Amino acid sequence: MPKVSMTVNGKAVSGEVEGRTLLVEFLRESLRLTGTHVGCDTSQCGACVVHVNGESVKSCTTFAAACEGAEVTTIEGMANADGSLGTIQQAFQDNHGLQCGFCTPGMVMSAADLLKQNPDPSEAEIREWLEGNLCRCTGYHNIVRSIKAAAAANA
Amino acid sequence: MPKDTGIGAAVPRTEDRRFTTGKGRYTDDFTVVGLHHAVFVRSPHAHARVTGIDKSAAEAAPGVVAVYDGKQLVGDGVGNLICGWAVSSKDGTPMKMGAWSALATDTVRYVGDAVAVVIAETKAQARDAAEMVEVEYEELPVVVDATDALKPGAPQIHPEAEGNLIYDWEIGDAAATDGAIANAAKVVEIELVNNRLAPNAMEPRAAMAVYDAGTDHLTLHTTSQNPHVARLVLSAFYQIAPEHKLRVIAPDVGGGFGSKIYIYPEEIVCLWAARKAGVPVKWTADRTEAFITDAHGRDHVSKAQLAFDSNNRITGLKVNTVANLGAYMSLFSSCVPTYLYATLLSGQYVIPNIYCDVKAVYTNTVPVDAYRGAGRPEACYLIERLMEKAAKELGVDPGELRRQNFITQFPYQTPVIMTYDIGDFSQTLDAARAAADVAGFAQRKAASEAKGRKRGLGYSCYIEACGIAPSAAVGSLGAGVGLWESAEVRVNPVGSIEVLTGSHSHGQGHETTFAQVVSDRFDLPMDNIKIVHGDTDSVQFGMGTYGSRSGAVGMSAIVKALDKVEAKVKKIAAHVLEASEADIVIEGGAVKVQGTDKQMAWHEVGLAAYTAHNLPEGMEPGLKEGAFYDPTNFTFPAGCYICEVEVDPDTGVVTVENFTAADDFGQVINPLIVEGQVHGGIAQGIGQAMLEHAVYDESGQPLSGSYMDYTMPRADDLPSFKVSTHETFCPGNPLGIKGCGEAGAIGSPPALVNAVLDALSGMGVKHLDMPLTPRRVWEAINAAN
Ligand code: FES
Ligand code: FES
């Protein structure tokens, strides 16, 4: 089997993968980073969103082998160095932006990319950006609130 | 004033740290050394005889350790799946339950019915090998629509249920109701469909079974809302293992909404296969499997008549419902269209005469069972659509017609079993109208008209029944279990507290709200308190979480256990401090003698209980108390939802402009969490009303088997919601809680549909069935013109 090497949450990692191995499988099964979730098989729920070279991607539709040499960040890499919650994570907790938590890693990773591109998004912009992330629990109301709060905290 | 972590405080959730950092542990996140993977071979046909299975190629495939079929499963004595609530027909005959084996033996009855399982070293190998299993089918005629299934000559699905009729049930007084309709000044009639839904918890179902041959013991990690019930049913009915040799763990669970109450074939097969093959086995559904195997919800077709006297007072309601239960009777399927539905048909109104007839029917579709609201959304939709239609036909204000018929005296005995204990329906109507700015609607409507859009406003005044339920009462109605809840409160020697609860959290935030109840009682910080749930080895038998019961029933059990702990703490302190028990108060982390400076720190009482050096004469050492709480009645959350929509008549696109909810949930423990429950429920209700529909074609092929064709509500489909609560405390339980988990999903669909029909009333559109997709709306507009 071919070998793949990449940096995940700042650590150099490598492993053997099949050509068909998805990035999410490599993260969850080889690296045991189970914070990245799988909620669908048609690339539509966003539970699997991670950052590859600074951009949010769906790790369920990315081959692990294609990430050779890439910088990958997962939800496990989003807390502050001292272990405290990052701004977006804290905003989700403060604003009750999660219930069962299954969509949350993907939501936080998507939100991080949004705020990087657009530090002060409107409600409509947030809702539009989240179009690729499904949540069945929150009705999105408090997710939108959380992202607004994170934007305000960053300002 | 509420303490900052006590009852009523908006405490951010303590569980969020693990969920926001990727440290939640869901079933698929667990692994063990030597883990193997199960992939199921499923029927591609909706109805067929299985005439042969050739497993040889799959068995020889790389990594495969076993391929099992239904004959082996039945041969090993694994029992058939059961429905746990016995409902009888009006003629007294018991419901007709067809046999359901976890792997089909000779007949498959829906697309997705499992016929074999492959166990292999990797999931990819199991998937590859599953494709090599050759199953020979002889196709049989198919029926997917419940009304069609009742017609003479329809394909017969189970030999046990002639004409596919499971039961023909009734409630209420037929003759009196017919009389009311015959003598009415006005009868409003409706025929409607309550559309079939796929629950879609974001975490797909999963199971990991590990067999320890040394102790002959099985452990199951699974996505369950009620692990003890799972263990009981797996033991007592499916003969997987005796209860003491089976541990069921429901770790973090990514949403349930009812779909994870049931024990499905996959859990049974994983347990059986783990022992038989001698390897640990994990199965995780992919989303397509979820669509074709998770129990669906709703799927009713109803006809109803609502009778009014000349003063616009309701005199009678007659309902006829056909309920599609799918290909097999799922665990609680029988009670959903009966005791959870027809018993709520009185709504918020005085209706002297009610009669309802329900036919439950087999079809070649995935089983249908409880989904968020379970029966109550169907009842609410029916009555609230009727009320809106009545207001239009009578030419009166829909809010005032409702108010005129509101129940105002409590307790109120409806003609359909339920006794409403308390409520104030005018209060929530007024609150919703004010928050929705109904007064300003005409102006907004004019503005919409000016843009060529149609604007409408729709009400829904819902009531539902939660806190299921007094065990003796449900037992008399056919329930196979009691519906109490259990709790144990352990005060450790150093004063920290563990609460073991039979409730299960899969998003509801119990680790926070339950701890708030303890924090409130003993004035202790939240981080001194831990809530333990979801593991049959750690927690005493409990009934689990569904039907918005964890507050009203689960917390009541905790309160009972806390009462006992408090009593013992006071006895110990009174003894040590040489004071009267009546003078002992617990506050600020200490146990004090009122009016003196004598006190013990909270942890000193714990220590005294466990060192037992100086306890009152005859007192047992330790500080740990358990309680079982059996509810005294259902609880009755109620409220008023107002939806305002804009419709583009050229495209049929509906936009939700405002959605307002005014709810009475009784005592609120944590407003942050309660609001979150309402938001999520409303989103699911709007999803049902506008977007979602689980559809089968005539040959029984699911047409909505992925997110490509089943429309889930997304962030840009929804507005922010205006929600508020207005309490009348439930007299039936110690905290006055009614429950908030399902209200949003129950109350919102009729508000939306009523709003759209209001918007289109000037265009001659009188009826629409959910989901109100642009196409349906556009077609209705064109048909009316
Ligand atoms: S799992 Fe990647 S989009 Fe659903
Ligand atoms: S919090 Fe459960 S799916 Fe979003």
Side-chain angles (χ1 to χ4, degrees), chain A residues 97-104 134-138 143, chain B residues 202 254-255:
Chain A
L98 62 150
Q99 292 181 26
C100 79
F102 197 78
C103 71
T104 311
L134 287 175
C135 173
R136 193 55 152 170
C137 299
T138 63
I143 292 178
Chain B
M202 289 315 300

Side-chain angles (χ1 to χ4, degrees), chain B residues 757-775:
Chain B
L757 286 167
D758 181 50
L760 301 180
S761 58
M763 306 186 82
V765 177
K766 293 211 158 43
H767 183 80
L768 282 164
D769 277 318
M770 302 185 287
L772 307 189
T773 57
R775 179 178 169 168

Side-chain angles (χ1 to χ4, degrees), chain A residues 28 32 83 93 99-100 131, chain B residues 13 17 26 29 713-714:
Chain A
R28 287 181 57 80
R32 301 301 309 154
Q93 179 174 38
Q99 292 181 26
C100 79
E131 209 258 343
Chain B
R13 302 196 319 171
R17 186 176 166 82
Y26 302 86
D29 300 341
R714 291 177 185 269

Side-chain angles (χ1 to χ4, degrees), chain A residues 20 28 32 35 39 41 44 75 83 89 93 96 98-102 123 127 131 136-141, chain B residues 13 17 20 26 28-29 124 128 199-200 287-288 371 672 676 680 692 707-708 713-716 718 720-721:
Chain A
R20 64 178 167 179
R28 287 181 57 80
R32 301 301 309 154
D41 38 27
Q44 282 174 316
I75 187 69
Q89 293 167 316
Q93 179 174 38
H96 190 32
L98 62 150
Q99 292 181 26
C100 79
F102 197 78
E123 170 165 351
R127 288 184 179 274
E131 209 258 343
R136 193 55 152 170
C137 299
T138 63
Y140 306 99
H141 182 111
Chain B
R13 302 196 319 171
R17 186 176 166 82
T20 54
Y26 302 86
D28 191 56
D29 300 341
D128 291 345
N200 276 300
R287 182 57 57 185
T288 303
Y371 164 63
L672 208 54
E692 300 180 38
Y707 290 144
M708 313 278 275
R714 291 177 185 269
D716 56 357
L718 302 169
S720 284
F721 311 117

Side-chain angles (χ1 to χ4, degrees), chain A residues 18 20 25 28-29 32-47 58 74-79 82-86 88-90 92-105 107-108 123-124 126-145, chain B residues 12-17 19-26 28-31 122 124-125 127-128 198-204 252-255 257 282 286-289 371-372 506-509 672-677 679-681 683-684 687 692 705-708 710 712-716 718-722:
Chain A
E18 287 183 57
R20 64 178 167 179
E25 292 169 336
R28 287 181 57 80
E29 281 149 41
R32 301 301 309 154
L33 290 172
T34 55
T36 302
H37 297 151
V38 177
C40 74
D41 38 27
T42 51
S43 195
Q44 282 174 316
C45 75
K58 288 181 169 172
T74 70
I75 187 69
E76 286 91 344
M78 293 298 279
D82 64 358
S84 62
L85 296 181
I88 299 172
Q89 293 167 316
Q90 189 63 54
F92 270 71
Q93 179 174 38
D94 292 345
N95 293 282
H96 190 32
L98 62 150
Q99 292 181 26
C100 79
F102 197 78
C103 71
T104 311
M107 289 289 179
V108 169
E123 170 165 351
I126 295 172
R127 288 184 179 274
E128 200 177 314
W129 179 266
L130 292 181
E131 209 258 343
N133 289 76
L134 287 175
C135 173
R136 193 55 152 170
C137 299
T138 63
Y140 306 99
H141 182 111
N142 283 343
I143 292 178
V144 173
R145 240 172 31 122
Chain B
R13 302 196 319 171
T14 50
E15 46 271 78
D16 288 356
R17 186 176 166 82
F19 293 132
T20 54
T21 54
K23 297 282 191 276
R25 294 270 274 160
Y26 302 86
D28 191 56
D29 300 341
F30 288 81
T31 189
T122 70
Q125 288 169 335
R127 214 181 271 144
D128 291 345
N200 276 300
M202 289 315 300
E203 180 205 19
D252 288 331
V253 172
F257 315 113
K282 187 201 270 183
D286 56 33
R287 182 57 57 185
T288 303
E289 252 179 325
Y371 164 63
R372 201 171 196 171
H506 27 281
Q508 295 88 342
L672 208 54
I673 287 179
V674 167
E675 285 171 14
Q677 289 292 312
H679 298 152
Q684 283 176 332
E692 300 180 38
S706 80
Y707 290 144
M708 313 278 275
Y710 186 92
M712 291 277 281
R714 291 177 185 269
D716 56 357
L718 302 169
S720 284
F721 311 117
K722 291 183 204 157

Side-chain angles (χ1 to χ4, degrees), chain B residues 178-204:
Chain B
D178 283 340
I181 290 167
N183 295 321
K186 168 83 188 164
V187 177
V188 180
E189 307 203 0
I190 207 161
E191 268 191 61
L192 49 78
V193 175
N194 205 288
N195 47 324
R196 185 179 181 113
L197 303 174
N200 276 300
M202 289 315 300
E203 180 205 19

